Amino acid sequence: MDKKVLREVVKYLQQDKIRIDSEKNTIAVEAKGKRTEGFVCGALSLVRTFEPQLEGVTPLQKSLTHSWLTYCSTQLFHCASLEALATCLHHINKELENRAFLCGFSATLADVVLFLSLHPFVLTWSFMQKEQHQNLSRWFSTMQGDARLAATHSPVQFSRTTLYAGTLRAH
Amino acid sequence: MRLISIKEHPNGLKILVASVLSGQKVEVALKPGVLDGAVLEASEAGVTYRLQSNSAVLHLLRETEEKQESSRGGKDSGAWLEWDAYHLQPVLAPYLVSVTGGREDKDLRAALQSLLATLATTHPLNAKEVNAASVVLFCSLVPLLSETVTTNLLQEQPSLLTYLTTLRETPPFDECVAKWWPGGSSSLKSWVGQAAPPPSPSHSTLALLKGCPSDAPSRPAPTNPADQAKPVRATVSPESVKEAEKWWHHPSEACPAPKAQNILPVKGESNILVTSALPYVNNVPHLGNIIGCVLSSDCFVRFCRLRGDNVLFVSGTDEYGTATETKAIAEGLTPKQICDKYHVLHSEIYQWFNISFDNFGRTTTQKQTDITQDIFFQLDKNGHISQESVEQLFCGKCERFLADRFVEGSCPHPGCGYEDARGDQCDGCGKLVNAMDLIRPRCKLCSSTPEVRSSNHLFLDLPSIEPKLKTWLTTSSPQWTANAQVICDSWVKDGLKKRCITRDLKWGTPVPKDNFREKVFYVWFDAPIGYISMTACYTDQWRQWWHNPDQVQYYQFMAKDNVPFHSVVFPSTLLGTDEKWTQVTHLIATEYLNYEDSKFSKSRGVGVFGDQAMSSGILSDVWRFYLLYLRPEGQDTSFSWVDLQTKNNSELLNNLGNFIHRSLSFVFKFFGGAIPAACPAGQDFEVMAAINKEVKQYTTTMATNRQREGLRAVLSITRIGNQYIQEQEPYRLVKPDRPPEDRERGATVTAVAANIVALVAVLLEPYMPETAGRIRDLLGNPTQLGRLPQAFTQFLPVGHVIKEPQPLITQLDCELIEKMSKKFGGETKSSKKEINPAEVTRLQALVEAQGSKVRQLKGGGMASKAEVAAEVATLINLKSQLANAQGVEASPAGDKDKKKNKKSGGGAKENIKPPPATQPSSNTPVNEAEVSRLQALVTQQGEKVRALKTSGASKEAVAPEVAVLLDLKQQLAAAQGINLTALTGKDKKKKK
């Protein structure tokens, strides 16, 4: 999954002269003659080279981007079961409760990576699931408004009115 | 900043060391169950964020890191941090768990060994140079020094061991370690296993997406992940598993033999009489009426038939009464013609909904007259009928006594005062009203104030029957639904009064008593007797049902507004005869169903009515499913189109339809359509036990008329089935290249799944009879599926042949749903267009000013034709804007203006042309598809612009997108017939 997402990040940055290889279960990117190993370091090196503001503006934002990328590469990408994935989604939804984007009030690489990872899953969600992950859905619907993401990813419909408020039961 | 950590977790130590190194103070809070062991809370601009431990170290040491950046070659800290999180932790954490458990895992040990070797050879291990990487690596590895086994492991890498021990003695590591682990070194037991170990990088979340392998049938949409994520299978006890095994092996015991339908009660058997409240003939029933009585009762009746009871299901149209007379006057027909016309309409609707009445009769029959009069004679004989002269409202203009429903006025009940209370009941407070008590009464037909005249009427003496009623209620009412009990209680508590049972009408059951022959019975007196007469029309043996209280259980279904007459008046009528009538034992009353959060209303066109549902293109089974899914049992519920779509697509299609289709496809594809032999084992019987639990739940909830829960039990079974297939993957097991025991296993799973389908075919019958029939047809109509089984078993014997499965459920797309919700939303929504009063007054003033200007010009005779024309054009433009602001269609106003201008005969009339800008608004009809297409585009573009703005894009980047958005908005306005150009034009003028 790391590789797929990293490839999409490259596409998002609209770069083509970048090589991605994975040997001995270590992924690496090579851009402008510089090779960087690891998903987190690789992705960060790409944005530092091509779009530095995506790493975040303040030091805290940069650290948060690092934290979220690490979270993706160690947790989200390697869910063995749907329960594990549900736990991740729950965590992310909770974190998005008090802010517009993962690392504050502007989108960073962390948001792009999370969007690229979740898009195939969110596509299959029912309205009920979308409502269960309300903050995540709100964030997702903002992210898909991004011109570059909208151009490559089919839109997902969200309902602004809650349909199941108070009626979500075990079934 | 705040460090939140599990007690003694090394990830907490990482943050602690980093904070001391950087001189930034952190407050320490120990908490169990912190994700990943420890996090650092930091705030910025009033928002609190959480950093994972490695990122927190990086954050705290950012300055030092940036200084070192230039001077160092090789891997930087970031790379080591990632190595720690991605490579080391997934091995180290489970390894430490195994050590703490007392059994060191050799494989993990070897893996860790090679990782440590890599570390020792590639990391400088220079204890003098302290950076983020050394903090993280030290804290991750230092716990290894606490146990002998683990120290042994470290000793194989002497340079690493020295590095760690040296660092442990170096400030600030020494003090931090002492503070974090007061014992001097980590005691693994206190923290290992407290945080979930990171998942192994070998799993890929993407694999979860491919839940449906390519060789499985792909027609129905794949089951959605969250449905599977929920543990649908409750835990089952070993006894229930054993029992499930017994049922499986003895199908004949589980399935009772089919039984011929009997329409008469049989002594010693379960005999059930079911009636549904009689729909009033002159209204087309809406969805609320349908779920309120007929559909609920049909669901129950079908369940009883499955259970093998003797069931008689009777209902019909209630046809007598003033409302029919009114309707007849309105349509210019006789009351009889009205009833004939609408009775057919009702029958068609219920037939379409597959309501399985044994008899759907009517109250205008000879049997009705005979039985009603009989009952009346008995009551009269027993002294329960009295005569009284009644002061009644008489409308001089219409020359008739006004029946209750022909009078309206203010509600007399204190505190209500509802102005349009009817003469029999107030819609405002729901209480019954005596027409004479109405404040300011008026005739409904001519609105004149009626006068009071006296007329003789017959009364049912309820107080004299009250003692009997009370005794009877104590035995019967405990089994009623809660709302019925409450309504009935409050009635009896208020004290029963004599009730007038005759009316001055023509259209009704004639009163068989001298001096009253020109009168008829009040509709509420004789309507419930319709249940009896309709049974009598069905069979001459009707007394076996109606005079048989010991053998017959009588269920009445209705909405809550019908409770008083069914719980008090009708029982009293029967009790007063002193004959042995079958009385209601179970009064099942529902609450109301609303339509998209407002009431159904025929006059306002809000809501879906029976005939409209028929022409909606949505299958009656889907309607049945959804209405029963939200049957208003405990409280009012609300019909919603989007919810209907969601339930259809998620529950019916993805869950139920998908399971049935897949299961049967396996039989058809892999076993040529014949059920394979099965040798179920422990896990299969566990599944069966879980299913049996749901069957039991289904049986009890259906028997007590909790139909929503029953439906959920059915859906749980298919969900269990889906999960069973998902786990067992029979489509893989049966592949020819698999070993024989695998293929045998595949056959077992396929056979069990097919039998679950057979079970669902039975259980679904009360809810979706057509679909259930189609499933049975696919299964080759085995007779054993006609009855409710006691438990899950082999319904389909080995070798039984099935047909090729066809998809059962179709997806409801958004387009249809949108169309429907627009069509049935009534006028209320469209007229909701917002009106801005300030704008209206401003425009009105402008119109007036411009009007007088034009008049002056014309009157003065000084101005040229062209000048006048220009001013008039401005006036027309303003007027159309005003109309728009008031929410009125612009065109009529425009036309009128034109005419007026012609009439006024001003010299300029030939030259006047409406300004071109108003053209689209007045002439082009609104193209709805185009409007919604543009609306979607506008929303999309709007989000894009918002996203751009929030992402901090430059003005130049945002501007073109905004331009596109404005352009789209203008197109939309044009398509909607709103005159935007005129508005902007006017704005410009104002600025000048």
Side-chain angles (χ1 to χ4, degrees):
Chain A
M1 185 157 185
D2 319 36
K3 202 170 173 181
K4 173 179 178 270
V5 174
L6 206 51
R7 229 182 266 131
E8 289 189 43
V9 169
V10 170
K11 218 186 279 169
Y12 178 81
L13 295 172
Q14 297 169 339
Q15 300 298 329
D16 43 11
K17 286 179 190 135
I18 291 170
R19 273 189 45 206
I20 299 174
D21 60 276
S22 49
E23 282 164 31
K24 290 182 284 173
N25 64 47
T26 303
I27 194 165
V29 290
E30 205 176 318
K32 295 197 175 167
K34 200 178 133 214
R35 193 180 134 90
T36 317
E37 276 185 10
F39 176 82
V40 179
C41 294
L44 281 173
S45 80
L46 286 179
V47 294
R48 281 173 190 156
T49 317
F50 300 108
E51 234 173 287
Q53 80 279 6
L54 261 189
E55 194 191 344
V57 183
T58 64
L60 181 60
Q61 262 194 338
K62 288 183 183 175
S63 304
L64 282 164
T65 307
H66 184 268
S67 182
W68 278 111
L69 290 179
T70 311
Y71 179 80
C72 286
S73 93
T74 57
Q75 305 271 344
L76 182 66
F77 290 173
H78 308 292
C79 297
S81 64
L82 288 160
E83 281 89 345
L85 178 60
T87 313
C88 285
L89 294 175
H90 186 78
H91 170 72
I92 299 167
N93 185 56
K94 190 98 207 334
E95 287 289 322
L96 281 168
E97 199 171 53
N98 61 0
R99 49 196 192 253
F101 298 97
L102 289 174
C103 311
F105 294 93
S106 58
T108 60
L109 176 63
D111 297 289
V112 174
V113 164
L114 186 66
F115 180 87
L116 297 172
S117 331
L118 290 185
H119 185 266
F121 293 92
V122 177
L123 264 185
T124 66
W125 282 3
S126 66
F127 277 103
M128 186 158 107
Q129 288 168 291
K130 288 172 191 164
E131 199 170 315
Q132 275 170 336
H133 303 113
Q134 212 173 15
N135 306 317
L136 187 53
S137 294
R138 171 195 23 89
W139 167 87
F140 192 93
S141 115
T142 317
M143 284 303 290
Q144 68 179 356
D146 179 285
R148 277 185 275 172
L149 292 175
T152 47
H153 289 76
S154 46
V156 178
Q157 233 196 351
F158 291 94
S159 163
R160 282 188 191 206
T161 41
T162 51
L163 310 169
Y164 301 90
T167 60
L168 283 180
R169 36 171 81 222
H171 278 285
Chain B
M1 283 184 283
R2 211 155 73 104
L3 158 60
I4 306 174
S5 173
I6 293 174
K7 194 168 177 254
E8 300 197 359
H9 200 286
N11 283 347
L13 180 64
K14 289 178 184 173
I15 301 176
L16 186 67
V17 174
S19 82
V20 176
L21 270 173
S22 70
Q24 302 181 55
K25 265 211 167 147
V26 295
E27 198 184 309
V28 182
L30 298 179
K31 251 193 215 163
V34 180
L35 181 86
D36 197 34
V39 292
L40 179 69
E41 267 190 5
S43 300
E44 189 170 272
V47 181
T48 308
Y49 302 92
R50 274 164 290 275
L51 288 165
Q52 283 190 300
S53 52
N54 286 7
S55 309
V57 171
L58 194 68
H59 181 62
L60 291 166
L61 297 176
R62 192 167 281 279
E63 272 179 37
T64 3
E65 285 301 313
E66 277 162 9
K67 256 183 247 160
Q68 286 186 0
E69 192 96 30
S70 46
S71 66
R72 192 170 4 100
K75 280 191 180 182
D76 65 349
S77 286
W80 282 115
L81 257 44
E82 182 158 15
W83 183 85
D84 172 72
Y86 191 80
H87 294 280
L88 181 62
Q89 291 299 341
V91 178
L92 181 64
Y95 172 72
L96 288 177
V97 170
S98 77
V99 170
T100 324
R103 293 176 64 182
E104 189 192 28
D105 189 309
K106 294 292 175 226
D107 293 341
L108 288 171
R109 185 195 160 101
L112 187 57
Q113 190 65 51
S114 84
L115 280 171
L116 294 182
T118 323
L119 176 64
T121 48
T122 49
H123 194 274
L125 298 181
N126 178 358
K128 295 258 161 60
E129 189 188 278
V130 171
N131 55 23
S134 51
V135 171
V136 164
L137 291 172
F138 168 79
C139 296
S140 291
L141 293 174
V142 78
L144 289 174
L145 292 171
S146 63
E147 303 262 334
T148 4
V149 248
T150 51
T151 319
N152 287 342
L153 176 69
L154 270 181
Q155 268 155 2
E156 291 167 35
Q157 304 295 340
S159 59
L160 184 59
L161 184 61
T162 331
Y163 177 68
L164 291 178
T165 42
T166 321
L167 267 188
R168 196 166 54 165
E169 307 307 325
T170 317
F173 290 91
D174 52 352
E175 49 186 281
C176 289
V177 168
K179 189 180 168 197
W180 199 245
W181 292 313
S185 70
S186 150
S187 58
L188 294 181
K189 285 216 170 69
S190 63
W191 58 270
V192 166
Q194 293 287 310
S200 152
S202 60
H203 295 297
S204 170
T205 308
L206 277 181
L208 301 174
L209 208 54
K210 295 167 191 144
C212 205
S214 53
D215 57 345
S218 56
R219 257 315 282 283
T223 43
N224 45 24
D227 276 358
Q228 291 173 12
K230 281 169 212 142
V232 284
R233 224 147 71 200
T235 44
V236 288
S237 66
E239 297 85 62
S240 64
V241 174
K242 241 181 232 154
E243 209 175 308
E245 189 174 350
K246 190 199 89 191
W247 289 120
W248 171 261
H249 290 299
H250 299 93
S252 56
E253 279 176 37
C255 307
K259 177 172 157 181
Q261 275 306 314
N262 197 338
I263 40 94
L264 288 177
V266 177
K267 205 174 172 185
E269 289 186 8
S270 171
N271 304 303
I272 293 180
L273 173 63
V274 179
T275 60
S276 155
L278 305 180
Y280 201 75
V281 76
N282 70 357
N283 285 325
V284 180
H286 57 64
L287 295 181
N289 301 137
I290 290 168
I291 183 62
C293 46
V294 281
L295 184 51
S296 296
S297 49
D298 182 60
C299 181
F300 178 68
V301 165
R302 285 174 183 271
F303 168 75
C304 292
R305 287 186 190 134
L306 279 182
R307 202 167 57 172
D309 302 335
N310 301 311
V311 200
L312 184 71
F313 182 21
V314 179
S315 188
T317 43
D318 175 13
E319 306 190 345
Y320 284 132
T322 48
T324 311
E325 279 194 358
T326 326
K327 187 93 179 174
I329 294 168
E331 294 198 11
L333 298 168
T334 66
K336 174 91 173 67
Q337 283 170 320
I338 285 282
C339 293
D340 291 347
K341 178 180 153 189
Y342 279 93
H343 177 77
V344 174
L345 198 72
H346 275 265
S347 306
E348 278 171 358
I349 291 170
Y350 300 136
Q351 230 160 36
W352 186 78
F353 273 99
N354 281 306
I355 308 294
S356 59
F357 294 120
D358 289 307
N359 182 30
F360 185 72
R362 37 204 307 192
T363 53
T364 50
T365 58
Q366 187 54 42
K367 287 266 192 309
Q368 171 81 1
T369 310
D370 295 346
I371 295 170
T372 308
Q373 292 184 347
D374 264 355
I375 290 176
F376 171 76
F377 286 137
Q378 285 298 325
L379 288 170
D380 199 14
K381 202 180 82 192
N382 295 341
H384 296 307
I385 301 290
S386 58
Q387 279 187 39
E388 261 175 57
S389 165
V390 181
E391 307 235 290
Q392 210 184 345
L393 297 172
F394 182 86
C395 177
K397 206 170 166 191
C398 306
E399 290 191 331
R400 59 192 286 174
F401 281 105
L402 295 179
D404 294 348
R405 281 175 172 248
F406 281 88
V407 197
E408 285 179 348
S410 298
C411 176
H413 288 289
C416 175
Y418 183 70
E419 289 200 355
D420 292 321
R422 283 182 282 131
D424 55 348
Q425 198 168 15
C426 169
D427 283 338
C429 61
K431 286 191 180 139
L432 296 183
V433 173
N434 192 337
M436 289 298 295
D437 298 339
L438 280 176
I439 302 160
R440 289 185 304 277
R442 57 180 188 269
C443 170
K444 194 184 173 184
L445 291 180
C446 64
S447 289
S448 56
T449 308
E451 56 181 284
V452 177
R453 283 196 193 174
S454 61
S455 153
N456 268 339
H457 277 286
L458 295 175
F459 279 72
L460 176 62
D461 190 1
L462 286 179
S464 70
I465 312 173
E466 194 172 337
K468 274 188 199 164
L469 180 75
K470 279 187 169 159
T471 334
W472 170 75
L473 279 176
T474 52
T475 60
S476 178
S477 71
Q479 306 152 76
W480 300 359
T481 55
N483 53 358
Q485 288 181 39
V486 169
I487 295 171
C488 175
D489 268 1
S490 70
W491 254 60
V492 176
K493 240 183 234 151
D494 277 359
L496 298 178
K497 297 178 190 69
K498 289 183 175 182
R499 284 200 74 85
C500 183
I501 55 165
T502 51
R503 286 293 184 271
D504 289 295
L505 287 174
K506 297 273 162 331
W507 187 238
T509 305
V511 179
K513 196 175 167 78
D514 288 340
N515 299 329
F516 293 92
R517 301 222 179 256
E518 77 286 8
K519 296 180 196 287
V520 298
F521 283 116
Y522 178 38
V523 65
W524 263 115
F525 175 73
D526 83 310
I529 296 174
Y531 298 139
I532 307 171
S533 77
M534 286 166 197
T535 313
C537 289
Y538 174 70
T539 168
D540 291 341
Q541 312 273 302
W542 61 274
R543 284 185 180 81
Q544 285 199 39
W545 284 108
W546 281 98
H547 287 292
N548 202 352
D550 302 327
Q551 298 291 334
V552 175
Q553 301 247 324
Y554 178 19
Y555 286 76
Q556 282 179 348
F557 286 80
M558 68 201 70
K560 63 182 170 189
D561 53 339
N562 279 342
V563 169
F565 291 98
H566 284 86
S567 64
V568 177
V569 181
F570 184 46
S572 299
T573 309
L574 296 181
L575 286 169
T577 60
D578 283 343
E579 282 173 5
K580 213 176 162 193
W581 286 98
T582 303
Q583 290 270 28
V584 58
T585 52
H586 298 78
L587 202 156
I588 315 296
T590 56
E591 303 286 319
Y592 294 136
L593 176 75
N594 291 324
Y595 179 80
E596 305 266 15
D597 294 320
S598 66
K599 277 189 175 178
F600 281 88
S601 163
K602 184 87 198 174
S603 52
R604 284 183 295 127
V606 174
V608 183
F609 289 75
D611 48 344
Q612 296 166 329
M614 285 164 73
S615 58
S616 65
I618 298 172
L619 288 180
S620 65
D621 265 11
V622 174
W623 285 107
R624 286 180 64 114
F625 164 82
Y626 182 59
L627 289 174
L628 287 162
Y629 192 95
L630 45 91
R631 181 170 182 257
E633 284 174 11
Q635 60 188 51
D636 291 0
T637 55
S638 200
F639 175 93
S640 141
W641 280 103
V642 180
D643 190 39
L644 167 67
Q645 180 194 16
T646 321
K647 293 288 154 20
N648 179 74
N649 294 353
S650 64
E651 291 289 13
L652 278 186
L653 182 69
N654 283 1
N655 172 10
L656 186 128
N658 188 35
F659 168 68
I660 293 170
H661 193 77
R662 287 181 85 185
S663 307
L664 298 187
S665 297
F666 295 154
V667 178
F668 197 79
K669 260 169 115 174
F670 305 135
F671 300 95
I675 304 292
C679 326
Q683 44 183 334
D684 304 304
F685 290 124
E686 269 171 33
V687 170
M688 293 181 206
I691 288 177
N692 284 343
K693 206 170 163 186
E694 297 294 340
V695 172
K696 200 169 259 169
Q697 168 81 359
Y698 173 89
T699 315
T700 48
T701 53
M702 286 296 271
T704 48
N705 274 296
R706 285 176 289 156
Q707 297 167 357
R708 289 169 68 138
E709 285 177 59
L711 184 53
R712 277 165 179 80
V714 179
L715 295 171
S716 288
I717 290 175
T718 53
R719 214 168 271 134
I720 291 171
N722 268 323
Q723 214 176 42
Y724 178 59
I725 294 181
Q726 205 66 31
E727 284 170 4
Q728 303 290 336
E729 306 189 314
Y731 40 85
R732 291 225 174 106
L733 294 170
V734 296
K735 290 255 174 80
D737 57 341
R738 299 295 284 252
E741 59 270 22
D742 271 10
R743 275 180 280 145
E744 199 171 277
R745 183 81 202 114
T748 301
V749 175
T750 308
V752 171
N755 277 293
I756 299 177
V757 173
L759 174 69
V760 170
V762 182
L763 303 187
L764 201 57
E765 162 78 18
Y767 296 100
M768 306 179 72
E770 269 176 28
T771 310
R774 281 171 67 199
I775 304 172
R776 283 199 302 270
D777 183 53
L778 290 178
L779 293 173
N781 279 319
T783 47
Q784 59 271 34
L785 298 189
R787 291 286 304 277
L788 184 73
Q790 290 193 50
F792 177 69
T793 182
Q794 296 179 64
F795 300 98
L796 310 170
V798 175
H800 176 87
V801 178
I802 64 161
K803 293 186 190 165
E804 180 172 7
Q806 305 289 330
L808 293 165
I809 315 285
T810 43
Q811 179 145 11
L812 293 180
D813 55 32
C814 298
E815 204 180 312
L816 175 77
I817 293 300
E818 244 166 56
K819 204 179 88 193
M820 290 291 172
S821 62
K822 215 170 265 170
K823 184 169 165 194
F824 297 115
E827 299 119 36
T828 41
K829 273 185 189 157
S830 57
S831 67
K832 256 188 198 159
K833 197 163 139 195
E834 277 191 27
I835 292 171
N836 177 353
E839 177 73 5
V840 170
T841 31
R842 193 184 66 81
L843 283 169
Q844 269 169 345
L846 280 175
V847 166
E848 221 158 276
Q850 186 69 18
S852 53
K853 192 172 168 190
V854 170
R855 272 191 295 280
Q856 268 178 5
L857 274 177
K858 284 183 185 166
M862 303 287 283
S864 73
K865 271 184 186 179
E867 262 177 291
V868 177
E871 293 301 336
V872 170
T874 319
L875 176 60
I876 290 171
N877 189 353
L878 278 172
K879 280 190 176 171
S880 81
Q881 281 175 36
L882 175 61
N884 236 327
Q886 284 172 322
V888 186
E889 281 281 317
S891 51
D895 289 348
K896 210 177 73 192
D897 276 347
K898 247 189 254 170
K899 254 180 240 160
K900 244 194 196 166
N901 281 325
K902 277 179 190 163
K903 255 191 243 160
S904 71
K909 68 179 174 189
E910 307 307 335
N911 296 335
I912 297 171
K913 275 187 191 139
T918 58
Q919 288 283 20
S921 66
S922 49
N923 296 340
T924 22
V926 175
N927 177 349
E928 305 226 327
E930 177 70 3
V931 168
S932 59
R933 189 186 68 87
L934 283 167
Q935 265 166 345
L937 281 173
V938 167
T939 330
Q940 211 183 343
Q941 185 69 16
E943 305 238 337
K944 197 169 161 186
V945 169
R946 269 192 291 283
L948 267 179
K949 284 187 181 165
T950 45
S951 69
S954 67
K955 262 192 182 170
E956 297 83 75
V958 179
E961 296 300 338
V962 173
V964 175
L965 177 60
L966 285 177
D967 182 48
L968 278 174
K969 278 189 177 168
Q970 224 154 41
Q971 283 179 35
L972 174 61
Q976 283 174 322
I978 300 167
N979 193 340
L980 209 74
T981 34
L983 286 173
T984 42
K986 169 211 70 199
D987 281 344
K988 266 182 221 153
K989 213 180 275 173
K990 230 174 89 188
K991 271 177 206 156
K992 278 177 198 167

